[in-house]
Amino acid sequence: MASTKRDDIERAALALFAERGFHGTSVPDLADAAGVGAGTIYRHFDNKEGVVNALYQRWKVQLGQEVFESVPDDLPWRARIRELWRALFLFNRNHPGALSFLDLHHHSGYLDAQSQQIEAQSAMAFFGLVAAAQAAEAIVDLPAPAIIAMVYSGFLGLIRAESEGYLELDDAMIDATFDRVWAMIRV
């Protein structure tokens, strides 16, 4: 399938916003990276905020589909959380820059109401997962945001270490790191 100018803009924006952040990326920078004129950006988006919100919504929804919704509900808790852990790494491999972008922009003042709603729905889904695992007495009784922060910050640190060349995240390392994560959150 042929790339459209909008695709080119979104691809360039993802790379620039993940690397430089929203405020460090200008519309002319974005146009240059996408290989389009600045006016072309405004034919597809109202402004730079429109670009970042379109990307945020696209990648947040896709993250939920590929990670959260891809893991069967009927697995035992340890296996289910292990599959979520693996799915995060797979998402990161398949979509370079997407998680860095989402992490950098998830509490930004320029996110519109729809982006904020998608973020809230995503958080509630993970809070519900934690609550269900706690109700089954599978994981520790800490507030869901604390458990999610401990696990997700570890994940982000691992992908950062890999991107900086300090670590190779092959399947064996992903499984080994999950064993440590599980030890941290299990009852």
Side-chain angles (χ1 to χ4, degrees), residues 2-183:
S3 173
T4 67
K5 293 211 184 281
R6 183 181 175 105
D7 294 335
D8 294 340
I9 294 165
E10 287 187 4
R11 193 172 11 267
L14 179 65
L16 289 173
F17 289 151
E19 178 186 333
R20 301 179 185 176
F22 176 79
H23 296 294
T25 302
S26 68
V27 170
D29 292 338
L30 181 53
D32 287 344
V36 300
T40 302
I41 292 172
Y42 294 110
R43 280 195 287 279
H44 294 279
F45 302 95
D46 290 338
N47 49 37
K48 188 169 72 165
E49 289 85 356
V51 178
V52 79
N53 278 285
L55 282 177
Y56 190 86
Q57 293 163 21
R58 172 187 173 188
W59 288 111
K60 197 66 172 182
V61 168
Q62 193 159 342
L63 175 65
Q65 290 170 342
E66 290 186 30
V67 174
F68 194 71
E69 295 174 15
S70 70
V71 176
D73 292 343
D74 60 350
L75 293 174
W77 280 106
R78 184 180 194 285
R80 189 170 174 191
I81 294 171
R82 182 185 63 234
E83 291 307 309
L84 287 168
W85 184 251
R86 288 178 179 168
L88 279 169
F89 285 100
L90 183 61
F91 183 89
N92 188 61
R93 280 188 193 140
N94 290 340
H95 310 291
L99 284 170
S100 297
F101 167 80
L102 289 171
D103 185 55
L104 188 60
H105 296 88
H106 78 282
H107 285 303
S108 299
Y110 43 77
L111 291 182
D112 64 19
Q114 185 176 356
S115 293
Q116 291 173 17
Q117 180 181 8
I118 291 169
E119 172 61 32
Q121 289 169 341
S122 174
M124 293 311 295
F126 280 100
F127 293 168
L129 177 83
V130 169
Q134 288 172 329
E137 298 181 358
I139 64 174
V140 296
D141 187 21
L142 289 172
I147 292 172
I148 293 165
M150 292 183 325
V151 171
Y152 194 64
S153 64
F155 165 76
L156 290 175
L158 289 165
I159 63 170
R160 189 173 304 115
E162 182 180 49
S163 73
E164 293 171 355
Y166 295 119
L167 183 64
E168 181 183 347
L169 291 171
D170 59 14
D171 290 341
M173 181 59 68
I174 291 169
D175 287 342
T177 58
F178 173 74
D179 289 342
R180 296 296 83 218
V181 165
W182 182 251

